[in-house]
Amino acid sequence: MKAGRFPYSLGQEPTLPGNAEFLLQCMEEAGVDGALIVQPINHKFDHSYVTSVLNKYPTKFVGCCLANPADDGSGLRQFEDLVLKDGYRAVRFNPYLWPPGEKMTNKVGKEIFQRAGELNVPVGFMCMKGLDLHISEIEQLCTEFPSTVVLLDHLGFCKPPINDEEGLVFSQLLNLSRFPQVHVKFSALFRVSRAQFPYLDLSPLFSQVVSHFGANRVMWGSDFPFVVAECGYKGAKEAVHLIASEISLPLSDLEWIMGRTATQLFQNQLTPVNS
């Protein structure tokens, strides 16, 4: 994230450093060879900074653009340009950017989601306020457009359940495994854990997710730059290894989660993480 010739969206100035060079430094320290960069909300729909980074470091990064659900339909054209001209390989659906009262299953949402499938571009869902608020939309889109690959960011924001209601939501997450195109990001562990590093309370959730989806439909993510102030970027990677050890996860499964899944999803444009 950078200002200057890449201005921030109004009211979205970052509170911590998150530029590409800092990310590369963190990756080197952690032994991570490649990463998916998601368009930061700080720049909203102005993708010029991330595009410049993708052009500068083509062997290190793959880009995930941000879907623009504007009523005038311009978001579909922007999405196509970002994929076909600028080489983005994924798109994020942030439901809180849709106009008030609109859902991700509206006309523009369906158009972008369908086009993503045609372009072989995965769609990531960022359900920050709870998976239960958006599960029906995700299920509808997956049913209508089965060729579109789906990524659920940050474990669907499911925390270790402490009551029946939370247990039901986690069951709904697991039930999404019935759609073969759905993948889960085991990412931002500090956001979904109720414990301190290394977040071992996530072990049973991790075990169930891998059991239901298969390791080739689960991928690690750091949630850079926010993770730096929590357990550190390197610590985020180490936490997964410790959790994997806790549940006796086979090394072959860990290799999928730490790199092979991402490589498969983004058409071998990423080198697998050294695990």
Side-chain angles (χ1 to χ4, degrees):
M1 293 175 281
K2 207 164 186 175
R5 65 190 181 100
F6 304 111
Y8 299 120
S9 180
L10 185 64
Q12 293 288 354
E13 293 77 9
T15 57
L16 69 172
N19 59 72
E21 288 67 32
F22 182 36
L23 174 55
L24 284 168
Q25 177 187 329
C26 292
M27 289 166 58
E28 184 175 359
E29 292 172 354
V32 173
D33 299 317
L36 176 73
I37 295 182
V38 181
Q39 167 71 4
I41 194 64
N42 310 84
H43 296 289
K44 209 162 185 184
F45 304 121
D46 180 351
H47 289 71
S48 54
Y49 177 60
V50 172
T51 300
S52 73
V53 170
L54 299 178
N55 290 333
K56 187 175 181 179
Y57 304 106
T59 64
K60 285 291 184 181
F61 299 124
V62 167
C64 174
C65 59
L66 185 61
N68 180 355
D71 289 333
D72 61 7
S74 59
L76 177 60
R77 294 190 297 274
Q78 182 187 33
F79 166 64
E80 290 176 329
D81 285 346
L82 288 166
V83 172
L84 298 174
K85 296 180 180 179
D86 297 322
Y88 284 76
R89 297 305 311 144
V91 57
R92 168 171 283 177
F93 273 36
N94 181 338
Y96 316 113
L97 294 177
W98 259 251
E102 293 288 327
K103 293 187 175 183
M104 294 182 289
T105 48
N106 68 358
K107 183 174 182 292
V108 66
K110 287 186 177 182
E111 287 176 346
I112 296 176
F113 192 87
Q114 180 178 17
R115 188 69 175 122
E118 293 168 355
L119 295 172
N120 197 27
V121 170
V123 174
F125 287 102
M126 185 70 159
C127 303
M128 189 170 285
K129 296 180 182 179
L131 180 65
D132 55 316
L133 299 177
H134 309 289
I135 187 80
S136 62
E137 297 164 76
I138 295 170
E139 290 178 331
Q140 182 180 337
L141 290 168
C142 287
T143 300
E144 290 189 32
F145 308 104
S147 64
T148 302
V149 173
V150 165
L151 297 171
L152 295 173
D153 284 313
H154 308 339
L155 205 61
F157 286 88
C158 290
K159 294 191 174 189
I162 56 174
N163 55 48
D164 291 345
E165 184 179 350
E166 292 181 354
L168 176 61
V169 176
F170 184 62
S171 294
Q172 290 176 320
L173 167 68
L174 296 177
N175 197 34
L176 287 173
S177 63
R178 72 188 190 277
F179 296 105
Q181 74 266 43
V182 175
H183 298 63
V184 177
K185 275 190 189 177
F186 191 59
S187 51
L189 305 189
F190 66 92
R191 294 188 188 274
V192 294
S193 173
R194 300 185 190 276
Q196 298 298 308
F197 176 87
Y199 316 120
L200 295 181
D201 64 330
L202 296 176
S203 298
L205 280 73
F206 186 45
S207 178
Q208 291 179 72
V209 166
V210 174
S211 176
H212 279 74
F213 287 86
N216 64 329
R217 289 165 61 193
V218 181
M219 61 179 282
W220 171 67
S222 66
D223 197 20
F224 175 90
F226 307 102
V227 71
V228 175
E230 298 293 333
C231 63
Y233 187 93
K234 184 178 181 181
K237 178 186 171 186
E238 291 172 347
V240 181
H241 284 256
L242 292 168
I243 293 170
S245 177
E246 183 88 357
I247 64 171
S248 301
L249 187 75
L251 179 59
S252 57
D253 283 359
L254 187 60
E255 288 173 347
W256 274 103
I257 293 161
M258 299 306 293
R260 292 184 68 187
T261 300
T263 302
Q264 177 178 265
L265 282 177
F266 307 120
Q267 300 183 334
N268 299 313
Q269 295 191 47
L270 278 178
T271 305
V273 171
N274 288 331
S275 54

